[in-house]
């Protein structure tokens, strides 16, 4: 199977977040590209939402989030390849977060920055933790007496595979430290070494015995076990970054190569072991225990409420704030009642979108729905939520109803999880590795998941979705106020004088592949762009190199002057209209310096693309 080329999509995304010059930094999680932009107002949400390969766009946690789905890693790599040299987090990200929160109260600003930092520190590690959790669950399954105890816990095979599963958790401080340092644009190797100090075997042994390091004023400073921990290392990575910056400013250049990492490792490791580590670990363990106790004590009430509303956090990307808490619970007590409820919410959203996929007769919706359902059943709900469920809100609500019932059952049965991975693929995480014959949580998983599946599916099928409702919603969304009778067809004229050529011959895959939509191009002979049809100026790029029109019939048309001319930053472009203006066919929209574009080394070809027909029959000029 040929490798899919995402370079065209990457260019489209970059152009519509305001261009490279508007990007401070970029990270990604399981399904989203998370941009830190200098000015989010320069991003074109509507174009991105309509772009093939983009599920949705969100503004949350000081980030501009482009929801991609399962191909996010490939798209991220393509975007980074196009950008070249862009920091993956760091000071630029911090600056972006601060700018995004300008005007907000300090609590909101701090919370947004904290979520952004946790996201960047944890998202690269989540996949490994999830995979390790599945392996541990399968091992527990293979030791079940009911299955004939296929593996002995003392066998070489069991211990070897268990080491593969445990390593990600055991050395979690190293992984988190490395990821956090990259997020902060610090030295990831130094941070990983500090993580190695926290997981050094002798210190781990002393930590298990609470061995005293030293006493001061009658207070004993003790070693703790930091394997499976997260928060102490996140703070250590931040301290290391601050200390590294200070040392670079104060140490002579010829001393920095050796003394900067040496001093950083010594001081930050010591501070973490003696002060911040014990404090943060104690607080984190306390919070984890408290959450487990609250969920367990609240029983069906906690299960009902968490089940009903957890996926709402996913809409805003705030669920990443819960991820380290769940990981801390599992690290501290070996289980997480909260995660057991979260698991069933994934199943319910998958069932709701599956109902849409099976009910609809629309090929595109069916294909998207099936892939989104599979993704949700594998523990990632965002393709389902942004692809279909939120766009048809009753489908999303149907999922919430099912997950509320599933959460209620989990709470009633006091179900818990012993691994990280949820949804159907995480079934093995409900087996207790310390007591494989205890199947209480597994039965809770079966009953709650079955209830969530059936209820969400039925409610979505009967009440949440039908093709007629969707068609009506599309027309209503795109109608212009006061326009009850619209023309059903329109003809586009060439917006600039010159030779009309096929869009496929343009030297830019974003346009030539048809990713933006069908259209045509013109090799211009003069620098005046005129409206190709009556309509309204719907989008106007600050650089003047592109303009979006909404025609009288409701179709959306993009006129793009030149290839990569956004890099001219507006030089040579003179815009004659404003966003919201009503224009007539033939009216001058933009004047541009044709010779100046050529002299700067850019292709001046003018592309006209119908980005969304909205059921309007568009007639294009003939290619010469």
């Amino acid at each position: 199977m040929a490798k899919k080329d995402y370079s065209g999509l990457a260019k489209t995304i970059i152009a519509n977040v305001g261009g490279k010059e508007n990007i401070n930094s970029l990270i990604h999680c399981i399904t989203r590209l998370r941009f830190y932009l200098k000015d989010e107002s320069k991003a074109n949400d509507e174009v991105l939402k309509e772009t093939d390969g983009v599920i949705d766009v969100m503004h949350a946690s000081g980030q501009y989030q482009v929801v991609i789905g399962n191909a996010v890693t490939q798209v991220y790599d393509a975007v980074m390849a196009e950008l070249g040299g862009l920091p993956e987090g760091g000071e630029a990200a911090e600056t972006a977060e601060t700018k995004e929160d300008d005007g907000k109260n300090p609590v909101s600003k701090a919370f947004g920055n904290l979520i952004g930092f946790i996201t960047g520190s944890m998202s690269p590690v989540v996949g490994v933790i999830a995979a390790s959790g599945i392996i541990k669950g399968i091992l527990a399954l293979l030791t079940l007496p009911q299955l004939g105890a296929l593996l002995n816990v003392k066998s070489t095979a069991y211990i070897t595979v268990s080491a593969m599963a445990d390593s990600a958790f055991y050395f979690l401080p190293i992984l988190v430290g490395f990821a956090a340092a990259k997020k902060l644009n610090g030295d990831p190797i130094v941070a990983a070494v500090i993580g190695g100090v926290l997981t050094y075997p002798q210190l781990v042994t002393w930590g298990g015995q609470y061995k005293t390091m030293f006493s001061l004023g009658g207070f004993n400073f003790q070693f703790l076990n930091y394997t499976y921990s997260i928060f102490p290392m996140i703070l250590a990575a931040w301290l290391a970054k601050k200390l590294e910056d200070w040392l670079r400013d104060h140490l002579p250049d010829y001393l920095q190569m050796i003394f900067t990492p040496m001093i950083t490792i010594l001081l930050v490791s010591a501070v973490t072991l003696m002060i911040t580590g014990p404090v943060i670990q104690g607080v984190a363990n306390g919070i984890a225990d408290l959450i487990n106790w609250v969920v367990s004590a609240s029983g069906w009430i906690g299960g009902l409420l968490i089940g009903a509303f957890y996926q709402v956090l996913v809409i805003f990307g705030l669920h990443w704030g819960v991820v380290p808490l769940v990981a801390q619970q599992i690290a501290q007590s070996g289980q997480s009642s909260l995660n057991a409820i979260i698991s069933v919410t994934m199943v319910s959203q998958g069932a709701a979108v599956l109902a849409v996929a099976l009910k609809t007769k629309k090929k595109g919706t069916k294909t998207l729905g099936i892939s989104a359902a599979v993704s949700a059943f594998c523990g990632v709900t965002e393709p389902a939520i942004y692809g279909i469920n939120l766009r048809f809100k009753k489908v999303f609500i149907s999922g919430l109803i099912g997950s509320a019932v599933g959460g209620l059952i989990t709470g009633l049965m006091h179900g818990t999880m012993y691994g990280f991975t949820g949804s159907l693929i995480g079934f093995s995480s409900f087996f207790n590795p310390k007591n494989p014959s205890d199947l209480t949580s597994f039965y809770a998983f079966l009953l709650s998941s079955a209830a969530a599946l059936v209820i969400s599916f039925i409610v979505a099928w009967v009440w949440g979705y039908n093709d007629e409702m969707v068609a009506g919603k599309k027309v209503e969304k795109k109608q212009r106020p006061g326009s009850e009778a619209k023309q059903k067809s329109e003809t586009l004229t060439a917006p600039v004088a010159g030779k009309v050529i096929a869009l496929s011959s343009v030297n830019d895959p974003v346009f030539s592949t048809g990713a933006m939509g069908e259209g045509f191009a013109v090799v211009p002979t003069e620098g005046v762009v005129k409206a190709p049809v009556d309509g309204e100026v719907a989008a106007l790029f600050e650089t003047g190199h592109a303009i979006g029109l909404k025609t009288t019939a409701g179709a959306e048309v993009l006129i793009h002057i030149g290839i990569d001319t956004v890099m001219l930053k507006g030089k040579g472009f003179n815009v004659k209209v404003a966003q919201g203006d009503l224009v007539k066919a033939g009216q001058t929209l933009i004047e541009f310096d044709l010779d100046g574009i050529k002299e700067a080394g850019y292709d001046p070809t003018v592309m006209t693309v119908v980005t969304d027909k909205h059921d309007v029959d568009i007639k294009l000029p003939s290619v010469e």
Side-chain angles (χ1 to χ4, degrees), residues 222-269:
Q222 298 175 319
F223 287 100
L224 296 180
N225 183 357
Y226 293 103
T227 60
Y228 289 67
S229 68
I230 295 170
F231 293 103
M233 192 59 235
I234 287 180
L235 179 58
W238 181 82
L239 291 173
K241 167 62 177 173
K242 295 300 181 182
L243 182 55
E244 287 168 0
D245 289 345
W246 187 88
L247 291 172
R248 289 193 181 99
D249 290 338
H250 292 81
L251 282 181
D253 292 342
Y254 56 85
L255 295 179
Q256 289 192 11
M257 181 177 177
I258 296 176
F259 284 91
T260 295
M262 183 185 76
I263 295 173
T264 301
I265 292 170
L266 286 173
L267 291 183
V268 175
S269 296

Side-chain angles (χ1 to χ4, degrees), residues 477-492:
K477 179 180 178 182
K478 302 300 181 182
Q479 268 187 336
R480 295 178 62 173
S483 295
E484 297 184 5
K486 292 183 179 180
Q487 52 187 112
K488 298 299 180 182
S489 65
E490 286 180 315
T491 299
L492 298 186

Side-chain angles (χ1 to χ4, degrees), residues 215-479:
S215 297
L216 183 64
F219 186 82
N220 294 328
F221 287 79
Q222 298 175 319
F223 287 100
L224 296 180
N225 183 357
Y226 293 103
T227 60
Y228 289 67
S229 68
I230 295 170
F231 293 103
M233 192 59 235
I234 287 180
L235 179 58
W238 181 82
L239 291 173
K241 167 62 177 173
K242 295 300 181 182
L243 182 55
E244 287 168 0
D245 289 345
W246 187 88
L247 291 172
R248 289 193 181 99
D249 290 338
H250 292 81
L251 282 181
D253 292 342
Y254 56 85
L255 295 179
Q256 289 192 11
M257 181 177 177
I258 296 176
F259 284 91
T260 295
M262 183 185 76
I263 295 173
T264 301
I265 292 170
L266 286 173
L267 291 183
V268 175
S269 296
V271 169
T272 302
L273 288 171
M274 291 186 293
I275 303 173
T276 60
V279 172
I280 293 178
Q281 187 77 332
V283 172
N285 288 342
I287 293 174
D289 288 340
L290 178 63
I291 292 174
N292 265 336
W293 179 83
V294 169
V295 173
S296 178
S298 62
W300 66 269
I301 297 177
L304 176 69
L305 294 177
I306 296 171
F309 296 108
Y310 178 79
Q311 288 296 323
V312 176
L313 298 179
V314 177
I315 297 174
F316 303 102
L318 299 179
H319 60 303
W320 281 102
V322 180
V323 169
L325 294 177
V326 170
Q328 186 68 34
Q329 283 182 300
I330 296 173
Q332 167 68 8
S333 61
Q335 60 180 316
S336 172
S337 301
L338 174 61
N339 208 28
I341 300 172
I342 293 173
S343 173
V344 80
T345 69
M346 302 174 183
V347 175
S348 62
Q349 290 298 325
V353 77
L354 181 62
V356 174
L358 296 181
K359 185 176 183 179
T360 186
K361 293 180 173 60
K362 297 184 177 182
K363 184 178 179 181
T365 303
K366 186 179 291 293
T367 301
L368 176 60
I370 291 175
S371 64
V374 171
S375 178
F377 294 147
C378 289
V380 181
T381 57
E382 286 151 308
I385 289 176
Y386 295 113
I388 290 179
N389 295 10
L390 263 186
R391 293 185 174 181
F392 313 105
K393 292 181 176 59
K394 288 184 177 181
V395 179
F396 182 67
I397 296 172
S398 300
L400 297 183
I401 293 172
S403 60
V405 175
L408 183 148
I409 294 173
T410 302
L412 281 174
M413 297 183 68
H414 298 286
T416 190
M417 279 183 72
Y418 304 95
F420 193 82
T421 308
S423 197
L424 298 183
I425 198 174
F427 74 94
S428 62
S429 297
F430 289 86
F431 293 109
N432 186 347
K434 296 181 180 178
N435 186 11
S437 61
D438 178 12
L439 299 179
T440 303
S441 291
F442 182 65
Y443 290 145
F445 162 76
L446 289 179
L447 290 176
S448 62
S449 296
L453 270 168
V454 172
I455 292 173
S456 297
F457 187 93
I458 291 176
V459 174
W461 184 285
V462 175
W463 173 75
Y465 178 86
N466 62 70
D467 282 345
E468 289 75 22
M469 175 192 71
V470 174
K473 183 178 179 181
K474 276 190 174 181
V475 172
E476 181 180 351
K477 179 180 178 182
K478 302 300 181 182
Q479 268 187 336

